[in-house]
Amino acid sequence: MSQQPRLTDADVVQYLQDHPDFFIGKDDLLADLRVPHNAGAATSLVERQLSVHRQRNVELRQRLSDLLENARRNDQLFEKSRRLVLALVEAENWLAVQAALDDSLRKDFGVDAWALLHFTERNLDAPLVAIRNADTQRNIHRLFKGHRALCGQLSAEDIARLLGIDTTDTRSVAAAQIRGQGNNGVLTIASADPGYYRSSMDTLFLDYIADILALRLPQIPVA
């Protein structure tokens, strides 16, 4: 297979001389070209202006790309949230709620572990988790330090409290309290990555799902 001949500077110059209208309609290409002006040791004003405009063009392109990517992520989050909310609305009992959460959180949101704790004196069958002991409930409430939700790294003991099981596979969590009429508890999601859930993160989505559970659970039977 023969190699294609390499273009030389002279080839490019000759081509442009033969096609003087080449740059017409190619504003993006012109914006990326560097055409220095003979101004001695100083940078010409025209060249400086072109450099500034070129940098602003790059920044605007990046901002547009970021906006489009953010819109795409928001669309995906909305669709995932919509599917979960519809599944919770259609659930006929607490076990169906548990199944809907498990399917959505693991498949759509890719969480490593999660738990829905019910603060109740009822005896609930697995996989439902009942926290009946009042002292245990208070200890879990203290983790929130008066806030509706929490997010970040916790000790292994505190993570175990929020998940209702002993675990060594999770390092960071996000959790929201469920405050319903006659129905209280905690929804927790966890990650094996210590930095995945950070204290600076927004918990709006988790708060939203916790609000749905607070309204929905009292309306349906346990089993």
Side-chain angles (χ1 to χ4, degrees):
M1 183 176 179
S2 61
Q3 288 186 330
Q4 294 291 332
R6 298 186 63 180
L7 289 175
T8 65
D9 290 351
D11 293 330
V12 176
V13 170
Q14 185 62 53
Y15 182 85
L16 292 177
Q17 289 176 340
D18 294 339
H19 302 81
D21 58 349
F22 174 78
F23 288 106
I24 296 177
K26 297 181 175 61
D27 293 344
D28 289 342
L29 176 58
L30 283 171
D32 292 332
L33 292 179
R34 298 189 62 187
V35 185
H37 296 262
N38 186 14
T43 301
S44 74
L45 178 59
V46 173
E47 185 177 352
R48 178 56 182 161
Q49 287 176 327
L50 286 174
S51 176
V52 171
H53 286 309
R54 187 179 296 112
Q55 181 61 34
R56 288 178 178 174
N57 189 40
V58 170
E59 292 174 356
L60 287 173
R61 287 180 180 178
Q62 184 59 50
R63 289 180 185 178
L64 178 59
S65 177
D66 292 342
L67 285 172
L68 292 175
E69 177 62 22
N70 189 53
R72 185 185 65 82
R73 287 196 299 265
N74 286 339
D75 285 343
Q76 291 177 342
L77 178 59
F78 173 79
E79 183 57 32
K80 292 175 183 178
S81 303
R82 175 179 173 275
R83 287 198 296 267
L84 174 55
V85 170
L86 288 177
L88 294 177
V89 169
E90 294 172 356
E92 296 180 352
N93 52 55
W94 285 19
L95 286 175
V97 167
Q98 188 84 8
L101 286 169
D102 188 70
D103 184 68
S104 175
L105 293 176
R106 292 189 184 277
K107 293 181 181 179
D108 279 346
F109 294 95
V111 302
D112 293 332
W114 74 277
L116 173 58
L117 306 182
H118 300 275
F119 292 172
T120 178
E121 295 182 357
R122 300 177 183 177
N123 291 316
L124 302 180
D125 295 329
L128 300 177
V129 181
I131 305 298
R132 292 183 289 274
N133 184 277
D135 288 336
T136 302
Q137 293 179 12
R138 281 192 291 269
N139 288 333
I140 293 175
H141 279 306
R142 290 192 186 102
L143 296 177
F144 291 85
K145 299 179 181 179
H147 299 289
R148 167 70 187 278
L150 64 83
C151 193
Q153 296 183 31
L154 297 177
S155 68
E157 182 181 5
D158 288 338
I159 291 178
R161 286 195 179 102
L162 288 170
L163 292 178
I165 56 172
D166 292 331
T167 176
T168 58
D169 297 329
T170 55
R171 294 290 184 272
S172 61
V173 298
Q177 298 187 65
I178 299 169
R179 299 169 176 172
Q181 185 174 0
N183 177 73
N184 294 296
V186 174
L187 176 63
T188 302
I189 54 179
S191 172
D193 181 355
Y196 191 82
Y197 297 112
R198 302 178 302 277
S199 58
S200 59
M201 292 181 66
D202 189 0
T203 59
L204 181 62
F205 166 74
L206 207 58
D207 290 339
Y208 174 62
I209 299 303
D211 286 339
I212 296 295
L213 292 171
L215 292 171
R216 184 67 183 131
L217 289 173
Q219 299 174 346
I220 56 178
V222 173

